[in-house]
Amino acid sequence: DHDVSHVILITIDTLRKDVLSAYGSERVKTPTIDGIASDGVLFEHAYSSSSWTLPSFSSMMTGLPVTVHKAHRADSMLNDEFTTLAERLRDSGYHTAAIVDNYFLHPEYNVGQGFLEYDYHPKRQKAINSFGATVVNKLFPGSLRNYTSTKELTDISIEWLKENRDRDFFLWLHYFDPHIPYAPPWEYIAKDAVKDNSIGYEWHSATRIRSGHFAPNEAQRKWIKELYDAEVRYVDHELGRIIATLKKYGIYDDALIIVTSDHGEEFWEHGGFEHGHSLDNEVIGVPLIIKLPGVELGERRAQDVTTRSIP
């Protein structure tokens, strides 16, 4: 009996805002995200609390700056003493569920506190390689894999929406793409892109570049960026399937939907690559689109905002 029955937070890992056509990109067309923006409010200057996943989502879930929650190291976790958005909505009577894909969103990092259902990916490598997991995989092929594609994550989410559409719920859906490795389905690569044969259709690591062992030339940089752009097109397409499902079940119009990212990605604008290494706008500037229930606004707002204000 909530005034807003469905609250949906959609986060897309490593998503630069300027790669979206809603934010002015001409090379990458993102019609699904553009459509949500045309129904909601687009914030032109939104910033993450951090340049990598764990501290960013810890702030997004608690509303607190990194200097307070201190989940800022790879061996840290979000402390139980902080109340999360999921806990508040759970205590308000919402069924809280998360379908997320990122190693730093595994349960041991505690970002998922407050979710009654927490379906995390990828599955732990230790569990994947155990004897018991080997037996399970022989009996039920594919049930314990340490990789879930964007398409598969969409399939899981669609099935969840089908089963829970009549509940009042808070759903958090987090896509790992376009995070490195950049390995998009070939059909999302631009027709005019010039392939670099030394790299191929996948780029798996930032380590060689950031360590100085590989200095890509201009053509190679363009191809690496194109692989990233293709992953953005891929995620936008799959997100379109989610939106179509919400409309099919009559959820979309009256839902509160938030679309954002944990951080961006640098492609040599300041001599760096990937994320986690700086606080330049390419790395902490993120998209933020909010579709309010029951109205079509199509607004753009220019004030500076932060994703830790989402709660």
Side-chain angles (χ1 to χ4, degrees), residues 155-270:
D155 292 340
I156 293 168
S157 302
I158 288 174
E159 185 63 26
W160 188 93
L161 288 167
K162 178 181 177 181
E163 294 176 356
N164 293 275
R165 62 185 185 271
D166 295 327
R167 280 175 156 168
D168 286 9
F169 64 72
F170 168 47
L171 173 65
W172 175 24
L173 169 60
H174 178 69
Y175 285 108
F176 188 63
D177 285 336
H179 193 289
I180 210 166
Y182 311 144
W186 64 267
E187 62 264 30
Y188 295 99
I189 295 174
K191 299 298 186 290
D192 62 348
V194 179
K195 178 188 175 186
D196 184 276
N197 291 323
S198 66
I199 293 175
Y201 287 102
E202 298 182 6
W203 180 255
H204 285 278
S205 174
T207 304
R208 290 177 59 207
I209 294 176
R210 293 173 67 172
S211 67
H213 288 87
F214 175 54
N217 59 37
E218 184 178 353
Q220 289 170 324
R221 289 182 179 187
K222 285 184 177 179
W223 177 243
I224 291 172
K225 178 61 162 57
E226 175 56 37
L227 293 176
Y228 170 88
D229 290 349
E231 288 214 333
V232 174
R233 298 184 189 102
Y234 175 35
V235 173
D236 186 79
H237 173 80
E238 290 301 312
L239 182 55
R241 296 174 57 210
I242 297 292
I243 299 303
T245 301
L246 295 176
K247 292 180 177 180
K248 174 182 177 181
Y249 294 130
I251 296 172
Y252 180 82
D253 288 342
D254 293 327
L256 170 60
I257 301 175
I258 301 169
V259 180
T260 189
S261 180
D262 51 350
H263 54 77
E265 192 86 315
E266 183 184 353
F267 289 95
W268 299 281
E269 287 87 356
H270 305 279

Side-chain angles (χ1 to χ4, degrees), residues 78-225:
L78 182 62
N79 197 298
D80 280 329
E81 70 179 281
F82 303 115
T83 303
T84 66
L85 174 61
E87 288 176 307
R88 293 186 185 278
L89 291 175
R90 179 202 62 195
D91 294 345
S92 297
Y94 286 90
H95 183 77
T96 54
I99 302 169
V100 296
D101 186 3
N102 188 301
Y103 176 79
F104 287 106
L105 297 180
H106 277 197
E108 58 262 36
Y109 293 100
N110 210 30
V111 179
Q113 56 180 302
F115 286 99
L116 298 171
E117 294 183 61
Y118 198 73
D119 183 8
Y120 63 92
H121 304 257
K123 301 306 180 186
R124 292 183 182 84
Q125 189 66 38
K126 183 177 180 180
I128 296 297
N129 293 335
S130 68
F131 173 77
T134 302
V135 174
V136 170
N137 272 326
K138 285 185 177 181
L139 295 174
F140 306 99
S143 60
L144 286 178
R145 293 187 301 151
N146 65 337
Y147 170 75
T148 305
S149 72
T150 290
K151 181 182 182 303
E152 289 169 328
L153 203 73
T154 303
D155 292 340
I156 293 168
S157 302
I158 288 174
E159 185 63 26
W160 188 93
L161 288 167
K162 178 181 177 181
E163 294 176 356
N164 293 275
R165 62 185 185 271
D166 295 327
R167 280 175 156 168
D168 286 9
F169 64 72
F170 168 47
L171 173 65
W172 175 24
L173 169 60
H174 178 69
Y175 285 108
F176 188 63
D177 285 336
H179 193 289
I180 210 166
Y182 311 144
W186 64 267
E187 62 264 30
Y188 295 99
I189 295 174
K191 299 298 186 290
D192 62 348
V194 179
K195 178 188 175 186
D196 184 276
N197 291 323
S198 66
I199 293 175
Y201 287 102
E202 298 182 6
W203 180 255
H204 285 278
S205 174
T207 304
R208 290 177 59 207
I209 294 176
R210 293 173 67 172
S211 67
H213 288 87
F214 175 54
N217 59 37
E218 184 178 353
Q220 289 170 324
R221 289 182 179 187
K222 285 184 177 179
W223 177 243
I224 291 172
K225 178 61 162 57

Side-chain angles (χ1 to χ4, degrees), residues 1 13 70 113 135 231 298 309:
D1 296 326
D13 214 301
K70 297 183 180 180
Q113 56 180 302
V135 174
E231 288 214 333
S309 294

Side-chain angles (χ1 to χ4, degrees), residues 261-302:
S261 180
D262 51 350
H263 54 77
E265 192 86 315
E266 183 184 353
F267 289 95
W268 299 281
E269 287 87 356
H270 305 279
F273 174 65
E274 206 208 15
H275 58 270
H277 61 282
S278 79
L279 295 176
D280 290 310
N281 286 345
E282 290 80 8
V283 180
I284 64 166
V286 293
L288 176 60
I289 299 167
I290 300 177
K291 189 205 79 68
L292 298 173
V295 292
E296 295 180 8
L297 295 176
E299 294 183 9
R300 301 178 73 92
R301 299 193 181 178

Side-chain angles (χ1 to χ4, degrees), residues 20-24 33-34 36-38 40-45 287-290 298-303:
L20 304 173
S21 43
Y23 280 84
I33 294 175
D34 292 0
I36 300 171
S38 68
V41 179
L42 180 148
F43 291 89
E44 297 174 342
H45 303 291
L288 176 60
I289 299 167
I290 300 177
E299 294 183 9
R300 301 178 73 92
R301 299 193 181 178
Q303 69 264 41

